[in-house]
Amino acid sequence: MSIMKETSPTSVPELDFNTPAAVLHRRIRRTKDKAATVGVGVGGISVIIAILLIFLYLLYEVIPLFRSASIEQQATYTVPVTSAQTLYMTMEEQAEIAMQVTANGEVVFFDTLTGNTVKRQSLPVPQGVEITSFAEGSAASHLLALGLSNGQTLIFKHRYKITYPNDQRVISPFLDFPYGEQPMEVDTQGAPLTKLAIRDTEAGLTLAAVTQDGRTPITQYVKEEDFLTMEVQLVQKSIELPVREQGVLSLHIGPSQRWFYVVLEDGNLDVFDLKAGAQARLADRVQAVAQGQRITEAKLLLGGISLLIGDSQGKISQWFMVRDQQNLGQYKLQPIREFQLGQAPIVNISVEHRRKGFLAVDAQGMIGVYNTTAERTLLQETLVKGTSNLISISPRADVLLSLNQAGQIQKFHVDNEHPEVSWHSLWGEVWYESYDEPSYTWQSSASNNEFEPKFSLMPLAFGTLKAAFYAMLIATPLAICGAIYTAHFMAPSMRRKVKPVIELMEALPTVILGFLAGLFLAPFIELNLPGIFALLILMPIGIVAASFAWVNMPRQIRHMLPEGWDAAILIPVVLVIAWVSIAMSHPLEQWFFNGDMRAWLTNDLGIPFDQRNALVVGLAMGFAVIPTIFSIAEDAIFSVPKHLSHGSLALGATPWQTLVRVVLPTASPGIFSAVMIGMGRAVGETMIVLMATGNTPIMDANIFEGMRTLAANIAVEVPESEVGSSHYRILFLAAFVLFMFTFVVNTAAEIVRQRLRKKYGAL
Amino acid sequence: MRQPLDKWLKSGTPWVWLNAGAVAISVIMVIGLLALIAVRGLGHFWPASIVEAQIQAPNGNTSLLIGEIVDTEEVSAAQLRSAGIELPESATFVDRHLVKIGNRDVYGSDFSWVLDRNIVERTYPENLIAIERREWGNFYGYLLAVKEAGVTVAEQNAGENRIWDEFQARIERALTIHEAIYQIEKHEIGSINYALERLRLKQRRLELEGKDTPENLAELDAERQSYQQEYHALEARLADLNKEFNRDSFVAQVQDGRTTEIYFSKVVRAYQPNAMGLGGKFAFYGAKLWEFLSDEPREANTEGGIFPAIFGTVMMVLLMSVMVTPFGVVAAVYLREYAKQGFITRVIRIAVNNLAGVPSIVYGVFGLGFFVYFLGGHMDDLFFPEALPAPTFGTPGLMWASLTLALLTVPVVIVATEEGLARIPRTVREGSLALGATKAETLWRVVLPMASPAMMTGVILAVARAAGEVAPLMLVGVVKLAPSLPLDGNYPFIHLDQKFMHLGFHIYDVGFQSPNVEAARPLVYATALLLVVIIALLNLSAIAIRNHLREKYKALES
């Protein structure tokens, strides 16, 4: 009784819960609890945000690729020399100093922001001789030439010296005369040169002109280096072309000094092949613009391979020489693509110095910014005040100067970071310079500055799918069949052993699989090619034959094996079949393929064979994907409620019928999601593909050739790409594509799986 | 009871058997692969016999070949003929051996293919020696003479074995000196260089902050002077040691009768495999295995050990676990215990689950762009302006690699921990709450301890995944050869900004980027074996913990 009394609540009035210590303790506990709630909340949410960050950051790196160009005016002033016509205008690297070349032989360097003259110099034009024409070498070479009224030409370069007195950058411009201050002869008859073209390379110098009396003299100087003195000697060679028309707009010489383009105002475009020297002949003649239109401007694109033709209706077309498909050994001038800038005649085209892009201005002052490879119009805006005359883009393509007829210069800042990328250039067929036809090509870098980067993701996406396809071809049947047997037929005791073994496969680092594929499997397959194919054919036949033999064994023997252990007796069978196939390989090769299947494939069938090919990748990556598919599919089949299959069996269906009619239909969404997740893994796998193929970005489904996948491409090229460049961002885009692809596929699979789980729950 | 074929086919049983076959094939593939790696990897350390073979070419020329037979394969005669090798008409298939003939300095390449049919006679002379060298790969041949400072002190004919002990003693001496030189070069001079570099950065920092007063500079200068003096003293000692080191040499004869003189300073170890007994071979095997695990790589990673790679992998994985465990657990606890269960949590759960399936290279790209260039670049501007333009954290390194892998594996930890939390019966939580514990107390005292095995499982699986991942690491921090370990005696002891070596990348690099793949192959197999063993052990322990855990809760639930 007394004990009861003591434990009853009424008997402990002396226990005070509100002592200061207890209150404090409670307060501390409450604070701790709140702190934990806040801490866990903040921590948890921030982890989830960090995960989201991946998506956002990839997007952040990718988005600038698709931004258009923008342009804004920074200053306007009058050109230093207004008394004579401006022949040419350009800028140095930093775009701080510009240069004006005038028709009276003056070169003026001026500040691009204020128009203040920095330096003024007269060119050494001989007394009594006038300047009659002007020509520019390639934009990056800084080489310029003046055609004179005595049939000669004066060649000069504008150069800039950068010094840092007192840590301040000072740019001092000067002129350089690489071929001497004496004019060089182009026309031996001394007639005034009305049009001029120049091309200077390490191999030689070519000067071409049209004279006032309608001839086209061409002078080539071949540079020959003296072995002893290292001095360069010029050997002169003259060619005279038959000119058939008047009205020449401009002349252009290609970089190999083979193609010579004569642009005629009436819309005709003549190409001469200078390779034959004195016998130079017309290679092609085309009508470059629509009937009734005139050509108003022509410029060579960076690298000098493409010719840009602007017409009197605002259309600009790109042309280059392409091997003629009908006439072997012949070349023809091919229209590649067109851009439309307003309706007014094109007045001037300025070509970018580092990229295959250009800017054009029309008579109404509309400026267009374009990229040829990407076939992209980045900007079209009427910006020029008055009648436009000349435009000039800076070497870094960030500053544009525009000069109007009244001598007014407008300076613009151009923001045009990634013009070479467009949906079309990433996923479509692009006709690249010097290619015979449009193609899907990935070639991100080359030694040459004038190289046209080829950013087509198609060959990489194709390679990715090809690798995934062959991997799935091998993995799906093995994994699903294995899962069916393990989940439905196998004895539980064996299942407990087999499942971990196959799941251990999943943990194997792919670098090991890749290394074995590249260094062991690839040479092995090359050596035993017929055996591998024999294996693929013999394996199912052999297994069925062995099982039939087993079923017909005497009962005593059969009963030694407990039910559901069939797979165990197949292990030696599989080993024997594999051994037989490989042993058969060499005799087979001898009988059917003349001793060398690889040579037979290449020579007789015309199928190229790489040692590290899609078959190797398929096997190795199949191996990597099997456990993924297996374990998910196995789970799905195993969790089909047992009473369904028991009911079916009780109604007299065979185990196989039960499986096919009852179990598989129920589990099929789960199997589907297993395949999807496996696919996701195959698509993103990097190391196996990197090591087991040659990594050449080709578009060919041939099982005996390699591929380059998106993932492998990222691994190979990201470390070498310049941060923030288009190439870098395109690789981020590739990563983003992979991310989205796997994320979407996995989400779909996961949703299917969750639905399935709910359905089983209902059953 | 004989089964008629048609009935058997109709019953669908063959399909069942085919399915069984698929299981059998999968199991064989796994076990075969592991066996292949194990055999090749473990075989690497066994001292192979050196064969001396008489070769008779089809044109009648005979020659002698000394080396280890590495590989034998059967090739079709047609292939060989198209490669320009003469064979009689009757031959269809011929065996050929890949022989490691070593002596790259003498022959130019250290492997040679020999057709089995051309070998007239094979012998295994006991006094053939194999020498592992610091450069030019292995040497195989006969020892002729030992020289000290250019003077012959012991001599024998090619068939004899008298001076072997003398030879071994001098190798011992050279190795001792090498150890001393290594100690000075790597550790003592290394730390002086490191200190000098820190002084330079300190000075630069003072300049940047405008505190480069003459007093401060003088102080730095004095410090520099003392280091310089120390350095000169060490240099003098090093010169003496080097002189001693290069004193002795020996003369040996190679297969074609040429002789060559080799300095003892270039020798790592010498042995006579044909004369070794089984015990000797085992002892040798143990020594090689220990060298593999504990030594640094030699000869562009194709010889020697892989200790820096093991160390780098362990460091990276440890750092990663330190980062991934708290974050993963907190996120899981939030999702399971604190967040309101509903559509959003379901979406988050699916998203987290799927992140485990996102290709690892994507994480690598993210790590490079965000961690290295973005975060690292800004950190350099803020905290390490003195080192610019050389980046400190704005370049791939250990910290970014671990952080990237932590991000990559955090879904694994979240999923595993959540699973563990979900398994804890509600009654347990309710009991705790009913006794007056707050939610935090319940979590800390009851729920988390019970879920700890699940967390462990998650962390182990994360570690196993991280240890085997290579693709992202290639972008965010591994190198083929790190000059120093990321943990050493120089302040601040852990160098998070340094690049490190990694087992998986080592496999890729040595197997595919090495100039002498053939020579490196055994080492790659051994490295692969080590990696597989580590990862298999980690996974098996995770499985064991998981099973243990299930047993435990079975008792609770009933």
Side-chain angles (χ1 to χ4, degrees):
Chain A
M1 280 302 276
S2 62
I3 295 167
M4 278 257 328
K5 240 180 189 168
E6 266 182 34
T7 50
S8 73
T10 49
S11 65
V12 285
E14 65 274 19
L15 195 60
D16 184 4
F17 285 103
N18 293 321
T19 58
V23 169
L24 182 69
H25 186 60
R26 272 211 298 280
R27 199 179 295 148
I28 290 174
R29 286 176 63 204
R30 204 181 313 126
T31 325
K32 270 190 186 164
D33 189 42
K34 272 195 188 129
T37 310
V38 171
V40 169
V42 168
I45 289 171
S46 61
V47 168
I48 290 154
I49 286 176
I51 289 168
L52 256 177
L53 191 71
I54 300 178
F55 173 82
L56 293 178
Y57 184 75
L58 290 178
L59 210 59
Y60 163 80
E61 286 285 354
V62 167
I63 281 175
L65 280 179
F66 298 100
R67 238 180 247 147
S68 313
S70 68
I71 202 164
E72 70 183 295
Q73 185 170 326
Q74 284 185 327
T76 172
Y77 45 84
T78 311
V79 72
V81 177
T82 45
S83 56
Q85 192 205 341
T86 303
L87 294 175
Y88 184 67
M89 198 168 64
T90 190
M91 275 166 279
E92 48 76 45
E93 180 69 27
Q94 318 288 341
E96 287 176 16
I97 291 178
M99 182 189 75
Q100 178 195 20
V101 181
T102 63
N104 58 6
E106 274 207 278
V107 175
V108 185
F109 293 97
F110 60 94
D111 190 302
T112 52
L113 202 62
T114 58
N116 296 339
T117 304
V118 175
K119 188 175 178 181
R120 198 169 174 145
Q121 191 173 350
S122 289
L123 288 165
V125 178
Q127 279 291 318
V129 174
E130 275 174 31
I131 296 169
T132 49
S133 57
F134 173 83
E136 182 193 9
S138 69
S141 73
H142 289 189
L143 191 77
L144 304 171
L146 294 174
L148 305 177
S149 58
N150 62 357
Q152 290 182 325
T153 173
L154 181 69
I155 301 172
F156 65 100
K157 263 185 176 179
H158 53 109
R159 306 265 300 267
Y160 305 88
K161 200 167 85 193
I162 299 179
T163 48
Y164 292 89
N166 310 325
D167 277 350
Q168 285 280 310
R169 185 175 61 208
V170 174
I171 303 170
S172 13
F174 62 99
L175 292 181
D176 184 21
F177 298 89
Y179 295 96
E181 295 196 13
Q182 284 300 318
M184 295 174 89
E185 189 173 74
V186 178
D187 182 30
T188 44
Q189 299 176 19
L193 309 176
T194 54
K195 297 288 172 194
L196 183 68
I198 179 169
R199 174 64 67 173
D200 187 21
T201 62
E202 283 181 2
L205 168 73
T206 301
L207 292 160
V210 174
T211 60
Q212 208 161 37
D213 51 359
R215 287 170 301 108
T216 311
I218 299 174
T219 308
Q220 285 191 318
Y221 295 93
V222 180
K223 292 180 185 172
E224 284 179 1
E225 198 174 311
D226 193 303
F227 286 110
L228 294 172
T229 58
M230 304 298 277
E231 267 174 28
V232 176
Q233 304 277 330
L234 293 179
V235 180
Q236 189 177 349
K237 199 165 72 173
S238 285
I239 306 170
E240 186 110 5
L241 288 181
V243 165
R244 306 197 289 191
E245 236 113 348
Q246 292 295 314
V248 172
L249 177 78
S250 59
L251 308 173
H252 304 274
I253 306 165
S256 59
Q257 306 189 14
R258 174 176 181 185
W259 304 118
F260 175 53
Y261 307 91
V262 180
V263 183
L264 301 165
E265 277 173 6
D266 64 2
N268 273 319
L269 198 51
D270 288 359
V271 195
F272 293 90
D273 188 349
L274 298 184
K275 211 168 72 172
Q279 284 83 45
R281 51 176 194 85
L282 188 69
D284 197 9
R285 153 170 288 206
V286 291
Q287 175 74 28
V289 293
Q291 278 297 323
Q293 302 301 322
R294 285 173 310 107
I295 299 182
T296 52
E297 169 71 336
K299 273 275 169 72
L300 284 176
L301 195 63
L302 168 71
I305 294 169
S306 297
L307 188 62
L308 299 169
I309 301 287
D311 74 6
S312 52
Q313 268 205 323
K315 197 174 80 187
I316 305 152
S317 49
Q318 183 192 0
W319 301 70
F320 55 74
M321 299 302 284
V322 168
R323 210 175 269 121
D324 198 335
Q325 301 295 337
Q326 276 94 43
N327 280 323
L328 288 176
Q330 301 290 312
Y331 286 82
K332 62 173 186 186
L333 199 55
Q334 174 76 34
I336 304 300
R337 46 183 81 88
E338 290 178 355
F339 301 94
Q340 185 70 43
L341 172 71
Q343 296 300 321
I346 302 292
V347 173
N348 192 226
I349 293 175
S350 180
V351 173
E352 285 191 28
H353 296 211
R354 308 266 157 82
R355 303 183 294 215
K356 302 278 176 185
F358 67 94
L359 289 89
V361 63
D362 72 6
Q364 289 173 352
M366 193 188 220
I367 288 181
V369 183
Y370 304 95
N371 186 280
T372 56
T373 316
E375 215 170 325
R376 200 168 161 198
T377 302
L378 293 133
L379 182 94
Q380 283 184 337
E381 213 175 319
T382 307
L383 292 161
V384 181
K385 298 188 194 93
T387 321
S388 46
N389 180 11
L390 275 179
I391 52 170
S392 171
I393 184 82
S394 69
R396 289 182 184 169
D398 53 353
V399 173
L400 175 73
L401 291 187
S402 153
L403 174 71
N404 68 10
Q405 299 283 17
Q408 206 67 84
I409 286 186
Q410 284 168 277
K411 182 195 179 194
F412 299 99
H413 177 78
V414 182
D415 190 13
N416 184 17
E417 283 295 314
H418 306 289
E420 59 271 76
V421 181
S422 65
W423 185 259
H424 175 72
S425 73
L426 289 176
W427 300 107
E429 263 188 317
V430 176
W431 200 331
Y432 299 106
E433 286 186 343
S434 310
Y435 277 52
D436 291 340
E437 58 194 9
S439 67
Y440 299 107
T441 307
W442 174 270
Q443 191 189 356
S444 57
S445 58
S447 52
N448 188 341
N449 279 338
E450 291 166 355
F451 161 78
E452 182 176 29
K454 300 169 183 70
F455 291 131
S456 174
L457 288 179
M458 276 305 267
L460 305 178
F462 180 87
T464 308
L465 294 179
K466 177 181 170 183
F469 171 76
Y470 284 116
M472 296 306 281
L473 204 62
I474 285 162
T476 319
L478 272 179
I480 292 181
C481 290
I484 289 173
Y485 186 82
T486 311
H488 198 70
F489 299 107
M490 194 180 273
S493 55
M494 188 177 177
R495 182 171 176 265
R496 275 199 297 275
K497 292 184 182 65
V498 166
K499 244 196 121 175
V501 169
I502 294 182
E503 279 173 349
L504 188 65
M505 273 165 92
E506 189 160 22
L508 270 184
T510 51
V511 66
I512 287 176
L513 294 178
F515 140 71
L516 285 175
L519 291 187
F520 173 78
L521 196 60
F524 182 81
I525 286 181
E526 192 188 13
L527 210 57
N528 298 298
L529 203 51
I532 299 294
F533 284 96
L535 185 68
L536 293 180
I537 299 163
L538 281 187
M539 193 56 87
I541 299 173
I543 288 173
V544 172
S547 57
F548 185 66
W550 174 258
V551 173
N552 285 309
M553 286 267 186
R555 189 178 290 233
Q556 299 94 301
I557 299 181
R558 275 196 294 138
H559 282 192
M560 277 161 63
L561 189 80
E563 201 182 335
W565 279 80
D566 313 330
I569 64 157
L570 280 178
I571 288 180
V573 173
V574 169
L575 285 176
V576 168
I577 295 170
W579 181 79
V580 167
S581 311
I582 300 303
M584 265 167 53
S585 175
H586 280 161
L588 280 178
E589 198 163 16
Q590 200 62 40
W591 294 334
F592 295 114
F593 308 114
N594 214 359
D596 192 348
M597 183 171 176
R598 191 184 158 161
W600 178 79
L601 277 175
T602 324
N603 301 337
D604 293 18
L605 296 189
I607 301 174
F609 185 97
D610 296 337
Q611 192 196 41
R612 293 182 183 169
N613 53 38
L615 180 63
V616 178
V617 173
L619 280 170
M621 202 145 78
F623 190 94
V625 174
I626 283 175
T628 313
I629 304 179
F630 175 87
S631 70
I632 299 171
E634 208 264 357
D635 269 350
I637 298 168
F638 192 72
S639 49
V640 171
K642 287 284 170 288
H643 56 256
L644 289 180
S645 49
H646 289 166
S648 161
L649 289 170
L651 288 169
T654 64
W656 179 253
Q657 285 165 335
T658 305
L659 178 85
V660 173
R661 305 274 167 80
V662 177
V663 178
L664 284 189
T666 325
S668 57
I671 297 175
F672 169 77
S673 83
V675 173
M676 294 298 275
I677 289 174
M679 178 84 182
R681 185 157 179 207
V683 161
E685 182 47 53
T686 312
M687 292 315 288
I688 293 179
V689 195
L690 194 61
M691 296 161 94
T693 74
N695 287 311
T696 32
I698 51 168
M699 296 258 287
D700 194 330
N702 178 6
I703 192 169
F704 296 117
E705 276 185 287
M707 76 290 278
R708 177 184 277 208
T709 66
L710 286 167
N713 185 58
I714 294 170
V716 171
E717 295 192 359
V718 160
E720 285 152 24
S721 72
E722 184 196 336
V723 180
S725 65
S726 299
H727 179 209
Y728 178 81
R729 292 192 197 281
I730 289 171
L731 293 174
F732 268 77
L733 176 69
F736 186 71
V737 168
L738 274 181
F739 179 86
M740 286 314 289
F741 181 84
T742 45
F743 203 83
V744 167
V745 162
N746 287 355
T747 307
E750 187 63 31
I751 289 170
V752 167
R753 229 150 53 111
Q754 290 204 350
R755 285 246 180 90
L756 191 72
R757 213 169 284 154
K758 229 179 240 169
K759 203 168 89 185
Y760 287 156
L763 280 171
Chain B
M1 189 191 86
R2 290 185 69 83
Q3 282 255 23
L5 184 63
D6 56 333
K7 204 178 155 198
W8 182 69
L9 285 176
K10 230 174 147 187
S11 72
T13 320
W15 298 109
V16 179
W17 280 89
L18 274 181
N19 288 343
V23 176
I25 293 172
S26 305
V27 170
I28 287 174
M29 275 164 74
V30 184
I31 292 173
L33 183 124
L34 295 178
L36 176 78
I37 298 175
V39 169
R40 299 246 175 161
L42 290 173
H44 167 52
F45 308 110
W46 191 253
S49 305
I50 312 174
V51 68
E52 182 178 281
Q54 287 278 349
I55 310 285
Q56 185 162 30
N59 58 16
N61 291 348
T62 58
S63 57
L64 205 62
L65 186 90
I66 296 175
E68 292 173 18
I69 293 182
V70 182
D71 202 3
T72 301
E73 62 183 28
E74 193 188 50
V75 268
S76 80
Q79 271 176 23
L80 289 177
R81 283 197 200 99
S82 65
I85 295 170
E86 281 177 49
L87 283 172
E89 278 303 308
S90 58
T92 52
F93 283 93
V94 285
D95 281 340
R96 65 173 180 183
H97 306 290
L98 180 63
V99 183
K100 184 174 184 185
I101 53 173
N103 310 4
R104 199 161 64 228
D105 47 342
V106 186
Y107 312 138
S109 75
D110 41 11
F111 284 88
S112 163
W113 285 103
V114 184
L115 294 185
D116 190 60
R117 53 186 298 131
N118 290 347
I119 298 180
V120 186
E121 193 199 353
R122 297 182 204 197
T123 52
Y124 295 90
E126 292 212 334
N127 45 15
L128 264 178
I129 57 168
I131 299 171
E132 284 176 23
R133 296 182 289 182
R134 282 184 225 291
E135 48 194 42
W136 301 112
N138 281 11
F139 174 88
Y140 300 106
Y142 291 104
L143 180 63
L144 289 183
V146 175
K147 289 181 176 181
E148 184 174 314
V151 183
T152 306
V153 291
E155 221 171 344
Q156 68 178 16
N157 289 325
E160 296 171 323
N161 199 21
R162 280 186 293 119
I163 59 174
W164 179 249
D165 291 337
E166 171 77 28
F167 180 66
Q168 284 289 18
R170 283 176 196 266
I171 291 179
E172 277 307 312
R173 173 181 174 276
L175 286 179
T176 320
I177 301 175
H178 179 254
E179 186 58 33
I181 291 176
Y182 177 82
Q183 190 64 29
I184 292 177
E185 275 184 348
K186 190 90 181 181
H187 295 129
E188 299 178 18
I189 293 189
S191 62
I192 289 178
N193 283 337
Y194 187 79
L196 284 174
E197 173 64 14
R198 281 177 52 83
L199 283 180
R200 186 187 74 78
L201 291 179
K202 211 166 165 183
Q203 180 171 353
R204 179 89 188 103
R205 180 155 207 134
L206 289 177
E207 280 167 20
L208 284 176
E209 289 169 356
K211 290 185 197 154
D212 48 343
T213 54
E215 303 90 79
N216 282 341
L217 289 183
E219 205 175 299
L220 288 178
D221 252 352
E223 228 177 307
R224 194 173 290 134
Q225 282 299 330
S226 79
Y227 280 124
Q228 294 281 14
Q229 267 170 16
E230 228 178 295
Y231 178 78
H232 288 308
L234 284 175
E235 225 178 20
R237 248 177 71 203
L238 207 56
D240 286 347
L241 280 173
N242 269 324
K243 213 171 137 200
E244 278 295 295
F245 193 38
N246 287 319
R247 190 190 68 179
D248 298 351
S249 64
F250 63 91
V251 180
Q253 182 183 331
V254 300
Q255 62 189 24
D256 52 9
R258 275 186 280 175
T259 59
T260 175
E261 187 173 339
I262 300 168
Y263 281 93
F264 278 102
S265 54
K266 301 279 178 264
V267 176
V268 178
R269 100 162 35 85
Y271 55 102
Q272 295 177 305
N274 295 349
M276 277 182 187
L278 200 59
K281 285 197 176 185
F282 271 113
F284 181 86
Y285 188 90
K288 283 281 280 184
L289 190 62
W290 177 243
E291 183 200 17
F292 175 70
L293 293 176
S294 67
D295 222 344
E296 284 177 25
R298 296 194 310 267
E299 294 221 44
N301 295 353
T302 61
E303 301 267 347
I306 53 163
F307 178 70
I310 300 176
F311 192 86
T313 311
V314 170
M315 275 295 285
M316 188 269 298
V317 161
L318 276 181
L319 275 174
M320 181 218 74
S321 327
V322 167
M323 290 185 233
V324 81
T325 315
F327 285 112
V329 169
V330 164
V333 166
Y334 172 74
L335 276 180
R336 179 61 61 183
E337 307 281 327
Y338 282 89
K340 213 174 115 225
Q341 302 297 313
F343 178 72
I344 302 241
T345 37
R346 243 187 76 208
V347 168
I348 290 176
R349 209 161 279 146
I350 290 181
V352 167
N353 226 328
N354 287 347
L355 276 174
V358 167
S360 54
I361 189 79
V362 174
Y363 288 93
V365 169
F366 172 77
L368 182 76
F370 186 73
F371 292 142
V372 177
Y373 292 140
F374 186 79
L375 279 186
H378 283 96
M379 272 172 72
D380 278 359
D381 290 342
L382 286 177
F383 304 116
F384 306 98
E386 70 272 19
L388 287 173
T392 310
F393 277 101
T395 178
L398 180 60
M399 180 160 90
W400 302 135
S402 345
L403 207 55
T404 306
L405 284 193
L407 201 61
L408 179 106
T409 50
V410 87
V412 178
V413 179
I414 295 180
V415 169
T417 310
E418 263 214 83
E419 201 177 302
L421 291 173
R423 273 178 184 282
I424 297 170
R426 252 185 48 189
T427 49
V428 175
R429 281 191 198 98
E430 283 164 357
S432 165
L433 290 173
L435 287 170
T438 62
K439 197 169 180 179
E441 284 163 350
T442 308
L443 189 71
W444 187 246
R445 302 270 167 82
V446 179
V447 176
L448 284 186
M450 283 181 75
S452 60
M455 291 174 213
M456 277 289 288
T457 317
V459 172
I460 293 173
L461 286 178
V463 165
R465 171 138 194 223
E469 235 6 295
V470 178
L473 292 181
M474 285 164 68
L475 308 185
V476 292
V478 294
V479 280
K480 58 199 304 176
L481 191 63
S484 56
L485 296 178
L487 183 71
D488 60 18
N490 299 325
Y491 178 83
F493 311 116
I494 292 191
H495 304 279
L496 291 176
D497 55 326
Q498 261 184 19
K499 295 188 177 61
F500 63 102
M501 289 171 75
H502 180 268
L503 282 173
F505 183 72
H506 201 73
I507 294 174
Y508 168 68
D509 178 64
V510 179
F512 288 82
Q513 314 276 311
S514 149
N516 196 354
V517 174
E518 204 58 64
R521 194 175 301 202
L523 194 95
V524 184
Y525 275 106
T527 314
L529 177 65
L530 182 69
L531 189 57
V532 168
V533 167
I534 292 175
I535 286 169
L537 283 180
L538 284 171
N539 271 286
L540 291 178
S541 58
I543 291 172
I545 290 176
R546 191 169 56 196
N547 290 349
H548 174 74
L549 183 78
R550 283 194 184 149
E551 293 299 315
K552 203 165 147 185
Y553 292 125
K554 247 184 207 149
L556 248 175
E557 276 158 21
S558 61

